[in-house]
Coordinates of all heavy atoms in Angstrom, one line a residue:
M1 N 15.1 17.5 7.9 CA 15.1 16.1 7.7 C 14.4 15.8 6.4 O 13.3 16.3 6.1 CB 14.3 15.3 8.8 CG 15.0 15.5 10.2 SD 16.6 14.6 10.4 CE 16.2 12.9 10.2
P2 N 14.9 14.9 5.6 CA 14.1 14.5 4.4 C 12.9 13.7 4.7 O 13.0 12.8 5.7 CB 15.2 13.7 3.5 CG 16.1 13.3 4.6 CD 16.1 14.2 5.7
E3 N 12.0 13.8 3.8 CA 10.7 13.0 4.0 C 11.0 11.6 3.4 O 11.6 11.5 2.4 CB 9.6 13.7 3.3 CG 9.2 15.0 3.8 CD 8.1 15.0 4.8 OE1 7.4 13.9 4.8 OE2 7.9 15.9 5.6
H4 N 10.5 10.6 4.1 CA 10.6 9.2 3.6 C 9.4 9.0 2.7 O 8.3 9.1 3.1 CB 10.8 8.3 4.7 CG 12.0 8.4 5.5 ND1 13.3 8.1 5.0 CD2 12.3 8.9 6.7 CE1 14.2 8.3 5.8 NE2 13.6 8.9 6.9
D5 N 9.7 8.4 1.6 CA 8.6 8.1 0.7 C 8.3 6.6 1.0 O 9.1 5.7 1.3 CB 9.2 8.1 -0.8 CG 8.0 8.0 -1.8 OD1 6.9 8.2 -1.4 OD2 8.2 7.8 -3.0
S6 N 6.9 6.3 0.9 CA 6.5 4.9 1.1 C 7.1 4.1 -0.1 O 7.3 4.5 -1.1 CB 4.9 4.8 1.1 OG 4.5 5.2 -0.2
N7 N 7.1 2.8 0.2 CA 7.8 1.9 -0.8 C 6.7 1.3 -1.7 O 6.8 0.2 -2.3 CB 8.5 0.8 -0.2 CG 7.7 0.0 0.9 OD1 6.7 0.4 1.1 ND2 8.5 -0.9 1.4
T8 N 5.5 2.0 -1.8 CA 4.5 1.6 -2.7 C 4.8 1.9 -4.1 O 5.0 3.0 -4.3 CB 3.1 2.2 -2.3 OG1 2.8 2.0 -0.9 CG2 1.9 1.7 -3.2
P9 N 4.9 0.9 -5.0 CA 5.3 1.2 -6.4 C 4.3 2.1 -7.1 O 3.0 1.9 -6.9 CB 5.4 -0.3 -7.0 CG 4.6 -1.1 -6.2 CD 4.6 -0.5 -4.7
T10 N 4.7 2.8 -8.0 CA 3.8 3.7 -8.8 C 3.2 2.8 -9.9 O 3.7 1.8 -10.4 CB 4.5 4.8 -9.5 OG1 5.6 4.4 -10.3 CG2 5.1 5.8 -8.4
C11 N 2.2 3.3 -10.4 CA 1.4 2.6 -11.5 C 2.2 2.5 -12.7 O 2.7 3.5 -13.1 CB 0.0 3.3 -11.7 SG -0.9 2.6 -13.0
R12 N 2.3 1.4 -13.4 CA 3.1 1.3 -14.6 C 2.4 1.9 -15.8 O 3.1 2.4 -16.8 CB 3.4 -0.1 -14.9 CG 2.2 -1.0 -15.3 CD 2.5 -2.4 -15.6 NE 1.3 -3.2 -15.7 CZ 0.8 -3.5 -16.9 NH1 1.4 -3.0 -18.0 NH2 -0.3 -4.2 -16.9
D13 N 1.1 2.1 -15.8 CA 0.4 2.8 -16.9 C 0.4 4.3 -16.8 O 0.6 4.9 -17.9 CB -1.1 2.3 -17.0 CG -1.1 0.8 -17.4 OD1 -0.2 0.3 -17.9 OD2 -2.1 0.2 -17.0
C14 N 0.2 5.0 -15.7 CA 0.1 6.4 -15.6 C 1.4 7.0 -15.0 O 1.6 8.2 -15.0 CB -1.1 6.7 -14.9 SG -1.0 6.4 -13.1
K15 N 2.3 6.2 -14.5 CA 3.6 6.7 -13.9 C 3.4 7.6 -12.7 O 4.1 8.5 -12.4 CB 4.4 7.4 -15.0 CG 4.8 6.6 -16.1 CD 5.7 5.5 -15.9 CE 6.2 4.8 -17.2 NZ 5.5 3.7 -17.7
G16 N 2.2 7.4 -12.0 CA 1.9 8.3 -10.8 C 1.0 9.4 -11.2 O 0.6 10.1 -10.2
F17 N 0.9 9.8 -12.4 CA 0.0 10.9 -12.8 C -1.4 10.3 -13.0 O -1.8 10.0 -14.1 CB 0.5 11.6 -14.1 CG 1.8 12.3 -13.8 CD1 2.9 11.7 -14.1 CD2 1.8 13.5 -13.2 CE1 4.2 12.3 -13.9 CE2 3.0 14.1 -12.9 CZ 4.3 13.6 -13.3
A18 N -2.1 10.0 -11.9 CA -3.3 9.3 -12.0 C -4.6 9.9 -12.6 O -5.4 9.3 -13.1 CB -3.6 8.7 -10.6
T19 N -4.7 11.3 -12.6 CA -5.8 11.9 -13.1 C -5.4 13.0 -14.1 O -4.4 13.8 -13.9 CB -6.5 12.7 -12.0 OG1 -6.9 11.7 -11.0 CG2 -7.8 13.4 -12.4
A20 N -6.0 13.0 -15.2 CA -5.7 14.0 -16.3 C -7.0 14.7 -16.6 O -8.1 14.3 -16.4 CB -5.4 13.2 -17.5
S21 N -6.8 16.0 -17.0 CA -7.8 16.9 -17.4 C -7.8 17.0 -18.9 O -6.9 17.2 -19.6 CB -7.7 18.3 -16.8 OG -7.8 18.2 -15.5
V22 N -9.0 16.7 -19.5 CA -9.2 16.6 -21.0 C -10.2 17.7 -21.4 O -11.2 17.8 -20.9 CB -9.7 15.2 -21.4 CG1 -9.8 15.1 -22.9 CG2 -8.8 14.2 -20.9
T23 N -9.7 18.5 -22.4 CA -10.7 19.6 -22.8 C -11.8 18.9 -23.7 O -11.5 18.0 -24.6 CB -10.0 20.7 -23.7 OG1 -9.2 20.1 -24.7 CG2 -9.0 21.3 -22.7
T24 N -13.0 19.4 -23.7 CA -14.1 18.9 -24.6 C -14.1 19.7 -25.9 O -14.9 19.2 -26.8 CB -15.3 19.0 -23.8 OG1 -15.6 20.3 -23.5 CG2 -15.3 18.1 -22.5
G25 N -13.5 20.8 -26.0 CA -13.6 21.7 -27.2 C -14.7 22.7 -27.0 O -14.7 23.7 -27.7
A26 N -15.6 22.5 -26.0 CA -16.7 23.6 -25.7 C -16.1 24.5 -24.8 O -15.1 24.4 -24.2 CB -17.9 22.8 -25.1
R27 N -16.9 25.6 -24.6 CA -16.5 26.6 -23.7 C -17.7 26.9 -22.7 O -18.8 26.7 -23.0 CB -16.2 28.0 -24.4 CG -14.9 27.9 -25.3 CD -14.4 29.2 -25.7 NE -13.2 29.2 -26.5 CZ -12.0 29.3 -25.9 NH1 -11.9 29.7 -24.7 NH2 -11.0 29.3 -26.8
D28 N -17.3 27.2 -21.5 CA -18.3 27.6 -20.5 C -18.7 29.0 -20.7 O -18.3 29.7 -21.6 CB -17.6 27.5 -19.1 CG -17.3 26.1 -18.6 OD1 -18.0 25.2 -19.1 OD2 -16.4 25.9 -17.9
R29 N -19.7 29.4 -20.0 CA -20.3 30.8 -20.1 C -19.4 31.9 -19.9 O -19.4 33.0 -20.5 CB -21.5 31.0 -19.2 CG -22.6 30.2 -19.6 CD -23.8 30.4 -18.6 NE -24.9 29.6 -19.0 CZ -26.2 30.1 -19.1 NH1 -26.4 31.3 -18.8 NH2 -27.1 29.3 -19.5
D30 N -18.3 31.7 -19.0 CA -17.4 32.7 -18.8 C -16.2 32.7 -19.8 O -15.3 33.5 -19.8 CB -16.8 32.6 -17.4 CG -16.0 31.3 -17.2 OD1 -16.0 30.4 -18.1 OD2 -15.5 31.1 -16.1
G31 N -16.2 31.8 -20.8 CA -15.3 31.8 -21.9 C -14.1 30.7 -21.6 O -13.3 30.5 -22.5
S32 N -14.1 30.1 -20.5 CA -13.0 29.2 -20.2 C -13.4 27.8 -20.8 O -14.6 27.6 -21.2 CB -12.8 29.0 -18.7 OG -14.0 28.5 -18.1
R33 N -12.3 27.0 -21.1 CA -12.6 25.7 -21.7 C -13.2 24.8 -20.7 O -13.0 24.7 -19.5 CB -11.2 25.1 -22.1 CG -10.5 25.9 -23.2 CD -10.7 25.2 -24.5 NE -9.9 25.9 -25.5 CZ -10.3 25.9 -26.7 NH1 -11.3 25.2 -27.1 NH2 -9.6 26.6 -27.6
A34 N -14.2 23.9 -21.3 CA -14.8 22.9 -20.4 C -13.9 21.7 -20.5 O -13.4 21.3 -21.5 CB -16.2 22.5 -21.1
T35 N -13.6 21.2 -19.2 CA -12.7 20.0 -19.1 C -13.4 19.0 -18.3 O -14.3 19.1 -17.6 CB -11.4 20.4 -18.3 OG1 -11.8 20.9 -17.1 CG2 -10.7 21.5 -19.1
L36 N -12.9 17.8 -18.6 CA -13.3 16.5 -17.8 C -12.1 15.9 -17.1 O -11.0 16.0 -17.6 CB -13.8 15.5 -18.8 CG -15.0 15.8 -19.6 CD1 -15.3 14.7 -20.7 CD2 -16.3 16.0 -18.7
S37 N -12.3 15.5 -15.9 CA -11.2 14.9 -15.2 C -11.4 13.3 -15.5 O -12.4 12.7 -15.2 CB -11.3 15.1 -13.7 OG -11.0 16.4 -13.4
V38 N -10.3 12.7 -15.9 CA -10.3 11.3 -16.2 C -9.3 10.6 -15.3 O -8.1 11.0 -15.2 CB -10.0 11.1 -17.7 CG1 -10.1 9.7 -18.0 CG2 -10.9 11.9 -18.6
D39 N -9.6 9.4 -14.6 CA -8.8 8.7 -13.8 C -8.1 7.5 -14.6 O -8.8 7.1 -15.6 CB -9.6 8.1 -12.6 CG -9.9 9.1 -11.6 OD1 -9.3 10.2 -11.5 OD2 -10.9 8.9 -10.9
C40 N -7.0 7.1 -14.2 CA -6.3 6.0 -14.8 C -7.2 4.7 -14.5 O -7.6 4.5 -13.4 CB -4.9 5.9 -14.2 SG -4.1 4.3 -14.7
R41 N -7.4 3.9 -15.6 CA -8.2 2.7 -15.4 C -7.5 1.7 -14.6 O -8.1 0.9 -13.9 CB -8.5 2.1 -16.8 CG -9.4 2.9 -17.6 CD -9.7 2.2 -18.8 NE -10.4 3.0 -19.8 CZ -10.6 2.7 -21.1 NH1 -10.2 1.5 -21.5 NH2 -11.2 3.5 -21.9
T42 N -6.2 1.6 -14.6 CA -5.5 0.6 -13.9 C -5.4 0.8 -12.4 O -5.8 -0.1 -11.7 CB -4.1 0.4 -14.4 OG1 -4.1 0.3 -15.9 CG2 -3.3 -0.7 -13.8
C43 N -5.0 1.9 -12.0 CA -5.0 2.2 -10.5 C -6.2 2.9 -9.9 O -6.3 3.2 -8.8 CB -3.7 3.0 -10.2 SG -3.7 4.7 -10.9
K44 N -7.2 3.2 -10.8 CA -8.4 3.9 -10.4 C -8.1 5.3 -9.7 O -8.8 5.6 -8.7 CB -9.3 3.0 -9.5 CG -9.6 1.7 -10.2 CD -10.4 0.8 -9.4 CE -10.9 -0.4 -10.0 NZ -9.9 -1.3 -10.6
G45 N -7.2 5.9 -10.2 CA -6.9 7.4 -9.7 C -6.0 7.5 -8.5 O -5.8 8.5 -8.0
T46 N -5.4 6.3 -8.0 CA -4.6 6.4 -6.8 C -3.1 6.8 -7.2 O -2.4 7.4 -6.4 CB -4.6 5.1 -6.0 OG1 -4.1 4.1 -6.9 CG2 -6.0 4.8 -5.6
G47 N -2.7 6.3 -8.4 CA -1.3 6.6 -8.7 C -0.3 5.5 -8.3 O 0.9 5.4 -8.6
H48 N -0.9 4.5 -7.5 CA 0.0 3.4 -7.0 C -0.4 2.1 -7.6 O -1.6 1.9 -7.8 CB -0.2 3.3 -5.5 CG 0.2 4.6 -4.8 ND1 1.6 5.0 -4.8 CD2 -0.5 5.5 -4.1 CE1 1.7 6.1 -4.1 NE2 0.5 6.4 -3.8
A49 N 0.5 1.2 -7.7 CA 0.2 -0.2 -8.3 C -0.4 -1.0 -7.2 O 0.0 -0.9 -6.0 CB 1.4 -0.7 -8.8
T50 N -1.3 -1.8 -7.6 CA -1.9 -2.8 -6.6 C -1.2 -4.2 -6.9 O -1.0 -4.4 -8.0 CB -3.4 -2.8 -6.7 OG1 -3.7 -3.1 -8.1 CG2 -4.0 -1.5 -6.4
P51 N -1.0 -4.9 -5.9 CA -0.4 -6.2 -6.0 C -1.5 -7.1 -6.8 O -2.7 -7.1 -6.5 CB -0.1 -6.7 -4.7 CG -0.9 -5.9 -3.8 CD -1.2 -4.6 -4.4
V52 N -0.9 -8.0 -7.6 CA -1.8 -8.9 -8.3 C -2.1 -10.1 -7.5 O -1.1 -10.7 -7.0 CB -1.1 -9.4 -9.6 CG1 -2.0 -10.3 -10.4 CG2 -0.9 -8.2 -10.5
T53 N -3.4 -10.4 -7.2 CA -3.7 -11.6 -6.5 C -4.1 -12.7 -7.4 O -4.4 -12.5 -8.6 CB -4.8 -11.2 -5.4 OG1 -5.9 -10.8 -6.2 CG2 -4.4 -10.1 -4.5
A54 N -4.3 -13.8 -6.9 CA -4.6 -15.0 -7.6 C -6.1 -14.8 -8.1 O -6.5 -15.2 -9.2 CB -4.6 -16.2 -6.9
L55 N -6.9 -14.0 -7.3 CA -8.3 -13.8 -7.8 C -8.4 -12.9 -8.8 O -9.1 -13.1 -9.8 CB -9.1 -13.3 -6.6 CG -10.3 -14.0 -6.3 CD1 -10.5 -14.2 -4.8 CD2 -11.5 -13.2 -6.8
S56 N -7.6 -11.8 -8.9 CA -7.7 -10.8 -9.9 C -7.0 -11.3 -11.1 O -7.2 -10.8 -12.3 CB -7.1 -9.5 -9.5 OG -5.7 -9.6 -9.2
A57 N -6.0 -12.3 -11.1 CA -5.3 -12.8 -12.2 C -6.1 -13.9 -13.0 O -5.8 -14.4 -14.0 CB -4.0 -13.5 -11.8
G58 N -7.3 -14.3 -12.4 CA -8.2 -15.3 -13.0 C -7.8 -16.7 -12.7 O -8.1 -17.6 -13.4
R59 N -7.1 -16.9 -11.6 CA -6.7 -18.2 -11.3 C -7.6 -18.9 -10.3 O -8.3 -18.3 -9.6 CB -5.3 -18.3 -10.8 CG -4.3 -17.9 -11.8 CD -3.0 -17.9 -11.2 NE -2.1 -17.4 -12.2 CZ -0.8 -17.3 -12.1 NH1 -0.2 -17.8 -11.0 NH2 0.0 -16.8 -13.1

């Protein structure tokens, strides 16, 4: 049976890829690259769009 996807729309800014790893240019002691995890500002790392309410729209 196919899995049913929720009808929650994906974030328009990150297209559902809510967290990205960014290299800092430095290396750890074991020689691997040091990275930072950065969340999407719009969806706060969920990957889903949130409905706009009158309060968040400034009305």
Side-chain angles (χ1 to χ4, degrees):
M1 296 294 295
E3 297 266 340
H4 292 288
D5 192 19
S6 66
N7 57 357
T8 306
T10 58
C11 176
R12 64 183 173 95
D13 290 337
C14 67
K15 307 287 192 270
F17 295 97
T19 303
S21 293
V22 181
T23 60
T24 61
R27 293 195 180 259
D28 289 333
R29 289 179 179 231
D30 63 355
S32 62
R33 296 259 184 207
T35 59
L36 299 172
S37 293
V38 182
D39 291 336
C40 173
R41 291 183 190 174
T42 305
C43 66
K44 297 178 181 57
T46 63
H48 300 290
T50 55
V52 177
T53 60
L55 228 135
S56 65
R59 296 182 185 185

